[in-house]
Amino acid sequence: MQMSGIPFGTTDWSEIQRTEHKGTTGSAYWKTQSFGAIRVRMVEYTPGYFADHWCVKGHILLCIEGELHTELEDGRKFKLTPGVSYQVADNAEPHRSYTASGAKLFIVD
């Protein structure tokens, strides 16, 4: 990831309007900021959320609240709890996530 042309700034996430993205079940609510080609998001998954697709986008993802389960297309599964992160490159390993209890995430991609 090359970061250039981004002056120092702060983001008050409480002022960013959220958008809804429905899963197979539940919803994800995104608050998104873009800095050139870099997207930064605060994402909240509702209890019972299950992604509706296998994602091939690269991310750096930090769990802030709740519990998130991420499975890879090859069958491996991972659990994220507050303070635990994952990283994956674009087109590297298809993945999808779900949560029984809900989760809040900070994502850079």
Side-chain angles (χ1 to χ4, degrees), residues 38-49:
I38 298 169
R39 180 174 67 174
V40 180
R41 297 178 285 158
M42 290 287 263
V43 175
E44 291 187 50
Y45 289 133
T46 62
Y49 174 83

Side-chain angles (χ1 to χ4, degrees), residues 25-91:
T25 58
S27 293
Y29 293 98
W30 297 9
K31 293 183 175 188
T32 307
Q33 290 284 80
S34 295
F35 305 98
I38 298 169
R39 180 174 67 174
V40 180
R41 297 178 285 158
M42 290 287 263
V43 175
E44 291 187 50
Y45 289 133
T46 62
Y49 174 83
F50 193 98
D52 65 351
H53 66 285
W54 289 100
C55 181
V56 295
K57 177 97 177 108
H59 315 282
I60 298 171
L61 183 149
L62 172 66
C63 181
I64 298 171
E65 295 176 9
E67 185 174 280
L68 183 73
H69 297 268
T70 298
E71 63 179 327
L72 305 186
E73 197 172 41
D74 67 10
R76 288 180 289 158
K77 296 181 180 182
F78 302 88
K79 179 173 77 171
L80 277 69
T81 54
V84 178
S85 65
Y86 78 68
Q87 54 284 327
V88 62
D90 289 329
N91 303 307

Side-chain angles (χ1 to χ4, degrees), residues 9-36:
T10 62
T11 301
D12 181 346
W13 291 99
S14 68
E15 294 182 2
I16 306 298
Q17 190 167 17
R18 71 182 195 170
T19 57
E20 181 179 16
H21 303 264
K22 291 193 178 287
T24 299
T25 58
S27 293
Y29 293 98
W30 297 9
K31 293 183 175 188
T32 307
Q33 290 284 80
S34 295
F35 305 98

